[in-house]
Amino acid sequence: MVKNEFIAAIKDTEICADVSKKDIEAVIKGMSEVLLDVIAKNDSVKVGSVVTIGGKHRDARVGHNPATGEKLTIAARDGVPYAKFSSVAKA
């Protein structure tokens, strides 16, 4: 689904029938900015009854190559974990 289809699908819902597509697009843009800020702060946010999105820092750690047993250093990194709710699994 592309952005315009997403906006049209939101517009077609009963709760947003009276909201303009321009307003829906503005809300999506604002939501994107807030989500990026939340991720940058390594915080998380629950989005409706669908998913929790957030940022997470993982420290460097020692791992090993399972084929050779050789130890190696896994670099620190930032990730964006998400967790879907059971309502998504049922859909």
Side-chain angles (χ1 to χ4, degrees):
M1 178 179 284
V2 295
K3 181 179 165 186
N4 289 336
E5 293 171 336
F6 184 60
I7 291 169
I10 293 170
K11 173 89 172 121
D12 289 343
T13 63
E14 185 177 330
I15 197 165
C16 292
D18 297 332
V19 180
S20 72
K21 287 184 178 181
K22 187 175 182 179
D23 288 342
I24 293 170
E25 187 171 3
V27 169
I28 291 171
K29 185 176 180 180
M31 189 171 122
S32 296
E33 290 178 15
V34 170
L35 286 174
L36 289 173
D37 288 342
V38 167
I39 290 166
K41 294 175 185 173
N42 287 329
D43 203 354
S44 64
V45 64
K46 180 178 173 182
V47 181
S49 60
V50 180
V51 67
T52 297
I53 300 173
K56 183 175 183 179
H57 176 77
R58 295 180 182 216
D59 293 329
R61 59 192 171 93
V62 176
H64 71 280
N65 180 333
T68 64
E70 177 186 4
K71 289 186 179 184
L72 52 106
T73 302
I74 301 171
R77 65 187 179 112
D78 291 322
V80 183
Y82 66 93
K84 65 182 181 180
F85 298 143
S86 61
S87 59
V88 175
K90 295 176 186 175

